[in-house]
Amino acid sequence: MIRLVLADDQALVRAGFRALIDAQPDMEVVAEAADGEAAFAAVREHRPDVVLMDIRMPGVDGLEAARRITANPDLTATRVIILTTFDLDEYVFEALRHGVSGFLVKDTEPAELVRGVRSVASGDALLSPGVTRRLIEEYSAQATPPARTPGLELLTGREREVVGLVGQGLSNEEIADQLVVSPLTAKTHVSRAMVKLAVRDRAQLVVFAYETGLVRPGRR
């Protein structure tokens, strides 16, 4: 059973998400919160698998609440999905840097939201390749040129190549097709890179790929 906490300052929005989630045979809402402070408290109490977190809430906002959750060593099993009104929300990149597992726009189709929750709960990142690439490229185009980092030196040549493909939004199956290896081999390379870089999940690999220059704005 996938256990969730819903965090949104609008009661009607929470009610809609709860109805959708509770209708799934493999999901249940264990708590709701109307602000980031209450969300963090609920996560500490219930230790859910996934948090659906609105990014804009009064007081402690969703970004700060997500940062507290992902930085807490006792909550490493909890994954955060950021909910936003716009697919290029200015705060989404910062949320990815803080370790959230991805984001959804609030008008996402119900079936897509359910699939996204299951994907994140299974350990994957919820990254729409097109939207995420546009978001990160917009940020990267305004940032200083990436520099080589000690973390980059930890990776083998093949692992760098794989991380670069993750940064382009490719799935393990797509990486396997491009490198002519099995999906299991691709998954192993991704997993080893995550361990070496001490990143929380695939979403942070995407950020790492852009910040270190393994993927650059405009490059495919």
Side-chain angles (χ1 to χ4, degrees):
M1 184 68 71
I2 301 171
R3 302 168 69 252
L4 294 97
V5 165
L6 303 178
D8 194 294
D9 61 334
Q10 298 182 52
L12 189 59
V13 171
R14 295 198 309 273
F17 281 130
R18 176 182 276 275
L20 173 63
I21 291 166
D22 283 346
Q24 309 307 312
D26 58 340
M27 299 181 189
E28 66 172 337
V29 175
V30 297
E32 296 183 20
D35 58 58
E37 193 73 54
F40 183 55
V43 170
R44 284 189 300 174
E45 178 181 355
H46 296 281
R47 307 294 174 91
D49 301 297
V50 176
V51 183
L52 286 178
M53 181 88 73
D54 184 20
I55 202 165
R56 291 189 175 91
M57 293 184 288
V60 175
D61 64 14
L63 181 61
E64 173 59 19
R67 186 196 66 76
R68 293 183 187 181
I69 292 168
T70 57
N72 190 312
D74 295 328
L75 302 175
T76 55
T78 296
R79 299 287 182 257
V80 180
I81 298 174
I82 288 291
L83 298 170
T84 180
T85 305
F86 305 104
D87 62 4
L88 289 181
D89 191 295
E90 62 184 302
Y91 298 113
V92 170
F93 184 84
E94 192 64 24
L96 291 174
R97 292 187 67 181
H98 282 315
V100 306
S101 295
F103 65 95
L104 286 168
V105 291
K106 285 189 175 181
D107 61 357
T108 295
E109 291 294 324
E112 184 178 346
L113 184 142
V114 170
R115 284 195 301 271
V117 169
R118 291 193 179 113
S119 176
V120 167
S122 71
D124 292 331
L126 183 59
L127 298 173
S128 167
V131 170
T132 301
R133 185 181 298 121
R134 292 201 312 273
L135 170 74
I136 297 178
E137 287 187 0
E138 181 173 292
Y139 173 91
S140 301
Q142 302 174 30
T144 56
R148 295 177 67 85
T149 68
L152 190 60
E153 301 302 323
L154 297 174
L155 303 180
T156 66
R158 175 46 64 94
E159 287 165 353
R160 294 184 194 183
E161 187 176 11
V162 168
V163 172
L165 294 174
V166 171
Q168 294 176 40
L170 273 63
S171 67
N172 288 343
E173 289 73 19
E174 291 168 332
I175 292 171
D177 287 342
Q178 183 152 333
L179 299 181
V180 195
V181 298
S182 70
L184 179 59
T185 297
K187 182 178 180 180
T188 298
H189 285 310
V190 172
S191 297
R192 287 176 178 170
M194 289 173 60
V195 170
K196 288 182 178 181
L197 299 173
V199 298
R200 184 181 176 90
D201 60 20
R202 201 180 184 97
Q204 287 190 301
L205 275 188
V206 174
V207 175
F208 179 88
Y210 275 84
E211 290 188 327
T212 57
L214 291 175
V215 176
R216 295 187 179 87
R219 195 174 79 186
R220 296 289 185 271

